[in-house]
Amino acid sequence: MPGIIKNGGVKPNIIPSYAELEFYLRAPSLRELSVLTEKAENCFKAAALATGCEVELQGGANDYYNVLPNKSLEKAYIDNGKKLGMEFILDDNLNGLSGSTDFGNVTFVVPGIHPYFYIGSDALNHTEQYTAAAGSEEAQFYALRTAKALAMTALDVIFKPDLLEKVREDFRTVKLKEEGHLNAPEHGKGSLLGIGAACASR
């Protein structure tokens, strides 16, 4: 639950009459975000009650949903990637990878995958080193190879009716399971959700 103090007063020795905080709430799924949101709001309300303050809570305008997996689409992508010489890391090794993306919202409307891929550097994402590595000639090779694998997968979906039906069935099943086990927070009540990569390549 990362957060910052956007407005905390003007002098260290003066208790401000107004303070403003901004927090992001992250959870693996919409269901868990709803639970986390309630807990966080209760914490803020309890702090206000304990200090004799008033608290006003405002949710974000846009929530990022978790990415719904699609095993049939993932398998087609991995098969195509292997034809191009890509090596893939098993799901179990990706448990620590997370973040937030509006692509999760897309996967609640249509089937999709969100693969990670190697760019020729072990630099961590969202760092200056990663930014530099992403613009290198070596990274272009890996990015183009991944783009080819994705394009080949799209062609498979278009020209292989059996695969298309499997992708659709996976989408229906996963979405029904997700929606059947969650009470989605009201629009603007949550903040961010974690995402998990279905596969990562090297």
Side-chain angles (χ1 to χ4, degrees):
M1 194 170 90
I4 60 169
I5 300 173
K6 294 183 70 175
N7 187 335
V10 294
K11 294 288 183 181
N13 63 329
I14 299 175
I15 297 174
S17 60
Y18 172 82
E20 182 180 357
L21 311 177
E22 181 175 352
F23 280 83
Y24 286 167
L25 305 181
R26 279 186 170 148
S29 68
L30 275 174
R31 179 177 68 254
E32 293 171 82
L33 178 64
S34 182
V35 174
L36 177 61
T37 299
E38 183 178 2
K39 288 181 178 180
E41 289 181 350
N42 286 338
C43 286
F44 294 129
K45 291 174 183 177
L49 180 64
T51 55
C53 298
E54 294 181 1
V55 62
E56 179 184 346
L57 302 172
Q58 295 180 346
N62 301 297
D63 300 332
Y64 293 164
Y65 296 1
N66 49 300
V67 176
L68 296 182
N70 192 293
K71 294 299 181 184
S72 296
L73 204 53
E74 289 167 15
K75 184 181 183 305
Y77 168 71
I78 290 172
D79 289 345
N80 284 316
K82 287 180 177 178
K83 293 174 185 175
L84 297 172
M86 295 167 68
E87 298 176 8
F88 290 87
I89 301 170
L90 298 177
D91 288 1
D92 293 343
N93 296 322
L94 297 174
N95 290 335
L97 295 174
S98 64
S100 300
T101 172
D102 53 4
F103 183 71
N105 302 52
V106 174
T107 64
F108 273 73
V109 180
V110 294
I113 56 173
H114 190 282
Y116 288 85
F117 66 94
Y118 181 64
I119 62 168
S121 170
D122 292 323
L124 296 176
N125 197 4
H126 300 301
T127 63
E128 292 183 8
Q129 294 81 4
Y130 188 89
T131 300
S136 69
E137 285 295 324
E138 186 177 11
Q140 302 314 302
F141 164 78
Y142 292 107
L144 286 172
R145 185 174 65 172
T146 301
K148 288 177 183 178
L150 289 168
M152 290 164 67
T153 303
L155 290 172
D156 284 343
V157 172
I158 292 171
F159 292 109
K160 296 179 179 179
D162 290 347
L163 174 60
L164 175 59
E165 186 51 42
K166 288 178 182 178
V167 169
R168 284 176 169 166
E169 184 57 34
D170 284 355
F171 174 70
R172 285 191 291 264
T173 302
V174 171
K175 190 174 179 187
L176 281 173
K177 182 179 178 182
E178 185 79 10
E179 292 178 341
H181 289 87
L182 66 83
N183 291 315
E186 294 178 17
H187 181 68
K189 288 294 184 182
S191 292
L192 301 173
L193 289 171
I195 61 169
C199 51
S201 64
R202 227 183 138 88

